[in-house]
Amino acid sequence: MSGSKFKTAIRLIDEAHALDPRTIQSKGHDEPYELFYSKKMSDYLERRDANASETLRLAIRAQHLRRWEIPRDSYAMTKTGYHLWRTYLKKRQADIATQICLDSGYSDEDAHRVGSLVKKENLQQDAETQVLEDVACLVFLDDQFEEFEKEHDEAKIINILKKTWGKMSERGHELALNISMSERARELMAKALAD
């Protein structure tokens, strides 16, 4: 992972994330949220698969690339609107990540592999896509779940937790059960897993 192509691509991805105007307090200073998120994705990848390929490492780091530019409320606040938003974001983020990889010197094949992973294509058949899904779910549970839980009713939260759990591999489940959570979050997780 010490190659100049990889370092260049990570730098360009991080520079794009650093443009996020939303910030979060991290290690005593404000950090652009998507940069914080992408680093957390990379940290969880190390726990999930320390021997991950370079293309998977790039795809992990490129999750949510420039996502803040297309806010959720730019689409109808319905289930259909949500799915249209997510579909558009996946394609857009994959296209940006692919171009960054090409600009960094990666082959067309490798750059498009990164884009395919960002879009989470072939989830059921592609082991690397499953790793990426595990990592995204782990970051959601670790970083976003407790805030998300405050905004929705219990039935919806339990349903979301069931869906999240269903997307994950056994290794993902093991890591999820070791995430430090509030008592309330643990209670909701137990209810979701009990059914």
Side-chain angles (χ1 to χ4, degrees), residues 116-168:
S116 177
L117 286 166
V118 168
K119 288 189 277 189
K120 300 180 188 175
E121 293 179 339
N122 302 314
L123 180 58
Q124 301 304 317
Q125 296 83 28
D126 188 322
E128 286 191 318
T129 304
Q130 182 60 63
V131 171
L132 190 146
E133 184 67 32
D134 281 355
V135 169
C137 290
L138 290 164
V139 172
F140 167 73
L141 292 171
D142 181 37
D143 183 56
Q144 301 161 334
F145 172 62
E146 290 191 31
E147 195 60 38
F148 187 81
E149 176 267 319
K150 295 173 188 171
E151 300 170 5
H152 301 283
D153 65 70
E154 185 172 302
K156 182 172 183 171
I157 293 299
I158 289 172
N159 187 45
I160 289 167
L161 284 171
K162 285 179 183 180
K163 287 179 182 177
T164 300
W165 197 257
K167 294 178 190 179
M168 297 171 72

Side-chain angles (χ1 to χ4, degrees):
M1 299 311 135
S2 61
S4 64
K5 289 186 299 191
F6 181 77
K7 287 180 181 177
T8 298
I10 290 292
R11 179 180 53 77
L12 292 173
I13 290 167
D14 285 353
E15 285 174 1
H17 286 312
L19 297 173
D20 186 354
R22 302 165 304 149
T23 60
I24 187 168
Q25 189 68 215
S26 173
K27 299 178 183 172
H29 69 279
D30 285 342
E31 183 169 24
Y33 179 75
E34 291 302 348
L35 184 58
F36 169 82
Y37 175 87
S38 70
K39 290 176 183 177
K40 190 162 264 220
M41 289 285 290
S42 292
D43 289 345
Y44 265 102
L45 176 59
E46 286 302 314
R47 297 180 212 179
R48 173 60 179 79
D49 184 0
N51 297 312
S53 71
E54 208 165 287
T55 52
L56 179 56
R57 290 175 187 280
L58 291 167
I60 288 281
R61 194 64 162 231
Q63 285 297 294
H64 293 191
L65 197 54
R66 302 185 72 104
R67 184 178 189 170
W68 74 90
E69 294 176 335
I70 313 295
R72 170 64 186 94
D73 63 7
S74 64
Y75 282 75
M77 298 302 283
T78 62
K79 189 174 186 176
T80 300
Y82 173 76
H83 289 293
L84 289 170
W85 175 69
R86 289 289 305 269
T87 299
Y88 177 73
L89 283 176
K90 280 186 202 179
K91 181 184 179 330
R92 181 178 185 267
Q93 291 163 179
D95 290 347
I96 296 169
T98 299
Q99 190 59 55
I100 285 174
C101 290
L102 290 170
D103 292 346
S104 299
Y106 281 93
S107 68
D108 192 63
E109 180 182 351
D110 285 345
H112 282 90
R113 174 64 177 155
V114 171
S116 177
L117 286 166
V118 168
K119 288 189 277 189
K120 300 180 188 175
E121 293 179 339
N122 302 314
L123 180 58
Q124 301 304 317
Q125 296 83 28
D126 188 322
E128 286 191 318
T129 304
Q130 182 60 63
V131 171
L132 190 146
E133 184 67 32
D134 281 355
V135 169
C137 290
L138 290 164
V139 172
F140 167 73
L141 292 171
D142 181 37
D143 183 56
Q144 301 161 334
F145 172 62
E146 290 191 31
E147 195 60 38
F148 187 81
E149 176 267 319
K150 295 173 188 171
E151 300 170 5
H152 301 283
D153 65 70
E154 185 172 302
K156 182 172 183 171
I157 293 299
I158 289 172
N159 187 45
I160 289 167
L161 284 171
K162 285 179 183 180
K163 287 179 182 177
T164 300
W165 197 257
K167 294 178 190 179
M168 297 171 72
S169 69
E170 287 303 312
R171 178 65 180 135
H173 293 163
E174 291 170 16
L175 291 167
L177 291 173
N178 288 310
I179 292 173
S180 177
M181 294 183 185
S182 70
E183 189 175 323
R184 173 69 176 147
R186 282 263 174 234
E187 177 186 315
L188 289 167
M189 182 71 92
K191 286 181 179 181
L193 298 180
D195 291 343

